[in-house]
């Protein structure tokens, strides 16, 4: 009789590299990869949102500055119809108080302020190319071409100086200032710096830009509108000096050099521009 042998049960097959557990490992790896991709995507989106917010802020800042130009202030008291038509941007400017007002000029006590200054090319103070080059150099410093890469606010006026007053100290709101150098052949243009910096202004990257502190002083100022030319300025300086000869309270300082302040952007209509010519004076 044949013996019936029951087959012994097979031992369970070892789970090898191709079993179920490796499948679970692959799923975990896929999950990690997905998580990393999501993290990268989140980072990209966050950076994009940050860049968008920054660009929106810059756009908002530009709009704010444009509004200041579009809706100018009337901070100066008008003495004539010509002055009544003048307007200046609603920007920070050099602080002063009026000591005396005459028909042809007013006497101001100006507080100290800092400027960024550069020498202008050419022999005239109001040559278009020279003025444009100097303006661009100073604007570049103001808008970030400095050691701190900091963008500063526009101020007013821009000054153009004729000569180098001996009372200025070498160190750094708005006009643009233009002045003439000691040798009489070069003019200098200056931007007034925002007062919040004081003497802690960032150093310029451009070696042609100098930082100076202008000390407190008393000046005689005559305002006028229109475009500025060298011949016009020469005539206005002569008239101002003649008028001050009759003043019994203030007289022109011996070393006083002419200074011109311009308050408006280039697109301003000539009749609404505010320009000023100034001479430093002392009490008689």
């Amino acid at each position: 009789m044949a013996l019936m042998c029951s087959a012994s049960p097979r031992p369970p097959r070892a789970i090898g590299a191709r079993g179920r557990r490796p499948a679970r490992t692959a799923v975990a790896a896929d999950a990690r990869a997905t998580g990393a991709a999501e993290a990268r995507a989140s980072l990209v989106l966050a950076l994009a949102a940050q860049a968008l917010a920054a660009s929106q802020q810059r756009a908002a800042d530009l709009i704010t500055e444009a509004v200041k130009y579009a809706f100018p202030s009337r901070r100066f008291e008008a003495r004539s119809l010509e002055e009544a038509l003048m307007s200046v941007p609603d920007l920070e400017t050099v602080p002063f108080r009026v000591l005396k007002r005459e028909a042809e000029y007013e006497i101001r006590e100006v507080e100290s302020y800092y400027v960024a200054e550069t020498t202008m090319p050419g022999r005239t103070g109001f040559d278009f190319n020279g003025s444009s080059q100097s303006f661009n150099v100073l604007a570049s410093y103001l808008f970030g071409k400095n050691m701190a890469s900091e963008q500063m606010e526009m101020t007013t006026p821009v000054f153009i100086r004729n000569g180098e007053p001996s009372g200025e100290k070498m160190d750094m709101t708005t006009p643009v200032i233009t002045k003439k150098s000691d040798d009489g052949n070069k003019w200098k243009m200056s931007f007034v710096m925002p007062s919040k910096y004081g003497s802690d202004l960032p150093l310029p990257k451009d070696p042609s830009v100098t930082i100076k502190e202008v000390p407190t002083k008393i000046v005689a100022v005559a305002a006028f509108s229109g475009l500025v030319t060298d011949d016009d300025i020469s005539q206005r300086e002569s008239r101002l000096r003649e008028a001050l000869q009759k003043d019994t309270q203030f007289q022109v300082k011996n070393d006083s050099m002419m200074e011109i302040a311009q308050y408006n952007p280039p697109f301003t209509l000539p009749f609404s521009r505010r320009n000023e010519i100034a001479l430093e004076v002392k009490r008689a």
Side-chain angles (χ1 to χ4, degrees), residues 11-12 55 102 122 133 170 191 216 249:
S55 63
E102 296 289 344
Q133 290 180 41
M170 288 296 297
F191 277 16
T216 300
Q249 293 179 273

Side-chain angles (χ1 to χ4, degrees), residues 12-23:
R13 185 168 56 182
I15 299 175
R18 298 181 181 178
R20 293 181 180 178
R21 286 183 185 172

Side-chain angles (χ1 to χ4, degrees), residues 93-263:
T93 191
V94 176
F96 66 86
R97 67 187 182 97
V98 177
L99 302 180
K100 180 181 180 181
R101 292 175 65 85
E102 296 289 344
E104 297 176 284
Y105 60 89
E106 69 181 24
I107 304 295
R108 298 177 186 170
E109 184 176 40
V110 182
E111 297 181 18
S112 64
Y113 57 93
Y114 287 86
V115 298
E117 183 174 86
T118 189
T119 300
M120 303 171 68
R123 288 176 170 265
T124 64
F126 303 96
D127 170 76
F128 178 77
N129 291 329
S131 297
S132 298
Q133 290 180 41
S134 302
F135 191 96
N136 290 337
V137 166
L138 295 176
S140 295
Y141 165 73
L142 195 68
F143 296 137
K145 192 176 180 181
N146 52 67
M147 294 304 183
S149 298
E150 184 166 354
Q151 294 187 10
M152 293 174 274
E153 298 87 353
M154 277 297 295
T155 58
T156 189
V158 173
F159 283 116
I160 300 176
R161 297 184 194 269
N162 178 4
E164 186 73 36
S166 59
E168 286 192 353
K169 303 174 185 176
M170 288 296 297
D171 283 308
M172 211 193 140
T173 301
T174 216
V176 175
I177 313 166
T178 310
K179 68 181 181 183
K180 216 168 189 178
S181 61
D182 288 334
D183 60 12
N185 294 325
K186 294 292 183 181
W187 292 75
K188 293 188 176 182
M189 178 180 287
S190 305
F191 277 16
V192 181
M193 294 291 98
S195 60
K196 69 179 183 180
Y197 292 95
S199 60
D200 297 326
L201 286 156
L203 295 175
K205 291 182 178 179
D206 191 330
S208 69
V209 178
T210 303
I211 306 306
K212 285 189 173 185
E213 181 186 6
V214 180
T216 300
K217 58 184 178 180
I218 299 176
V219 294
V221 177
F224 61 99
S225 61
L227 301 176
V228 181
T229 65
D230 290 279
D231 290 340
D232 184 36
I233 288 300
S234 179
Q235 295 175 19
R236 291 183 183 278
E237 179 185 8
S238 297
R239 288 201 295 267
L240 180 57
R241 287 183 181 274
E242 290 175 5
L244 287 168
Q245 288 177 356
K246 305 172 185 177
D247 197 307
T248 58
Q249 293 179 273
F250 298 92
Q251 60 185 22
V252 180
K253 293 182 67 174
N254 292 333
D255 60 350
S256 181
M257 305 301 293
M258 177 179 59
E259 177 178 279
I260 300 93
Q262 296 172 277
Y263 286 83

Side-chain angles (χ1 to χ4, degrees), residues 53-75:
S55 63
Q56 289 176 337
Q57 181 60 48
R58 283 195 291 271
D61 292 341
L62 287 173
I63 292 172
T64 300
E65 292 300 314
V67 167
K68 292 178 181 179
Y69 279 112
F71 300 96
S73 68
R74 299 276 181 179
R75 65 169 61 96

